Amino acid sequence: MLTRIMNGNKIALKLEKKIKKKIKIRKKNKKRIPGLAVIIIGNNISSKIYVKKKKKACKKLGFISKIWKFKNNIHENKILKLIQNLNYNNTIDGILIQLPLPNNFNLTKIMNSILPDKDIDGFHPYNIGCLCQKKPKLRPCTPQGIIKLLKEYKIKIKGMHAVIIGASNIVGRPMSLELLLKGCTTTTTHKFTKNLKKHIKNADIIIIAIGKPKFLKGKWIKKGAIIIDVGINKLKNGKIIGDVDFKSMKNKASYITPVPGGVGPMTVLTLLKNTLKACEKYHEN
Ligand code: NAD
């Protein structure tokens, strides 16, 4: 069996061009260009890298991006006040809180203070509720980006048995909702799941997001399964690898996403897509 590598960089580039065209038309029609506000608290090195990437992507597509950086000791009320101001700032369409937040912050309180129409990460209970009820509005970026990637490769997942490994609020849970919406039968697994390998063996498609390098082995999967690797793990030598033992999937999986260059670029692109959508649908002019 030939294993096809799904090139997230290539697909993201193609979709970027579509967004650029839409921005050009907005400008021509004297409409506002979309604005993204990013709030980063603390000193997490990975977070700083992700924020830089988002800023670069905004610049490339001609979006406005504004970044607020704070030290760990900033008072939570100041962050809540800033979010309130951004909620009513009509040049800003999307508000993003870079995760993880330092432990001294109430994550739920902060995330829930973002207006759902500006919640371009799709994490607000209102937006998750809409996805749950099959009426999606702003949807979490990584799962949405994965669905788009599968669509671009013309992979028909309707009726497939999907096994999701990892059940976080940002990837695993919304991923299972997206797959349900697409007509998959879903099994969501996590660190307490018994007989994980039994579930994996039955899967037509596996999405893994657990943050454990080379966890998923080729010998565990059904021949022809589709493998989506969300994991980002930095090794001591600086190399970035996923949660999948990539080499062991050769001639066993039908499709696989590489790390880097698979899911990651789709996540960033989807963030911009959500910001544009928020601008077009919710805060016109
Ligand atoms: P998380 O730590 O919030 O959740 C991890 C999940 O994995 C939990 O539900 C846990 O129960 C499960 N898990 C842990 N060990 C397990 C095991 N042995 N078997 C089954 N389940 C197990 O993580 P997260 O925020 O969802 O991120 C997961 C990974 O995905 C990380 O490497 C992160 O960097 C990466 N990530 C990548 C992107 C991207 O765009 N590519 C986006 C978000 C997260």
Side-chain angles (χ1 to χ4, degrees), residues 13-27:
L13 204 66
K14 178 180 152 192
L15 300 173
E16 246 180 53
K17 283 184 187 152
K18 282 192 183 170
I19 297 182
K20 265 189 190 164
K21 253 190 203 163
K22 286 190 180 174
I23 299 296
K24 221 175 165 183
I25 295 170
R26 282 187 74 81
K27 278 187 184 163

Side-chain angles (χ1 to χ4, degrees), residues 29-230:
N29 294 337
K30 306 253 176 293
K31 286 190 171 174
R32 205 167 49 73
I33 55 172
L36 173 68
V38 179
I39 301 173
I40 173 167
I41 309 170
N43 232 347
N44 186 306
I45 311 251
S46 303
S47 292
K48 284 183 179 172
I49 296 171
Y50 294 141
V51 168
K52 251 191 197 164
K53 270 191 186 173
K54 287 164 190 169
K55 191 180 173 187
K56 200 173 147 198
C58 278
K59 203 174 164 195
K60 204 171 164 197
L61 294 190
F63 284 35
I64 293 170
S65 73
K66 290 189 177 162
I67 299 175
W68 280 264
K69 289 181 190 162
F70 296 104
K71 293 201 171 128
N72 272 351
N73 60 1
I74 178 88
H75 199 282
E76 190 173 279
N77 284 343
K78 284 209 168 154
I79 302 296
L80 291 169
K81 199 155 183 212
L82 171 62
I83 294 172
Q84 274 315 308
N85 288 335
L86 293 171
N87 277 342
Y88 296 103
N89 179 334
N90 57 15
T91 66
I92 294 296
D93 302 286
I95 305 169
L96 183 150
I97 311 289
Q98 185 60 48
L99 300 179
L101 278 182
N103 290 335
N104 49 322
F105 289 88
N106 182 335
L107 175 70
T108 311
K109 195 171 172 188
I110 290 184
M111 299 309 273
N112 292 4
S113 71
I114 299 173
L115 214 61
D117 287 352
K118 294 197 177 190
D119 166 43
I120 36 81
D121 255 335
F123 296 154
H124 192 284
Y126 173 79
N127 283 319
I128 290 290
C130 289
L131 181 59
C132 227
Q133 292 185 339
K134 303 189 276 181
K135 300 259 181 282
K137 293 205 163 180
L138 289 169
R139 298 144 61 192
C141 299
T142 302
Q144 193 191 154
I146 290 170
I147 296 291
K148 186 72 185 160
L149 191 62
L150 290 163
K151 193 174 169 209
E152 287 293 320
Y153 275 86
K154 299 190 170 39
I155 300 172
K156 296 200 172 27
I157 57 172
K158 197 173 183 176
M160 279 190 180
H161 180 204
V163 170
I164 301 106
I165 313 177
S168 71
N169 283 341
I170 66 168
V171 188
R173 283 165 202 257
M175 188 73 243
S176 49
L177 292 172
E178 288 280 355
L179 290 162
L180 259 181
L181 207 58
K182 290 288 170 205
C184 288
T185 302
T186 57
T187 302
T188 307
T189 66
H190 43 74
K191 61 184 169 195
F192 303 119
T193 299
K194 289 179 183 161
N195 293 325
L196 180 66
K197 285 185 198 166
K198 197 180 103 195
H199 294 294
I200 290 171
K201 200 77 197 166
N202 282 325
D204 301 311
I205 172 165
I206 300 169
I207 291 97
I208 181 161
I210 64 173
K212 296 199 168 148
K214 293 189 182 180
F215 178 87
L216 185 67
K217 312 287 181 215
K219 62 181 176 198
W220 298 351
I221 69 161
K222 183 163 85 179
K223 200 159 188 165
I226 300 158
I227 308 295
I228 308 291
D229 191 354
V230 183

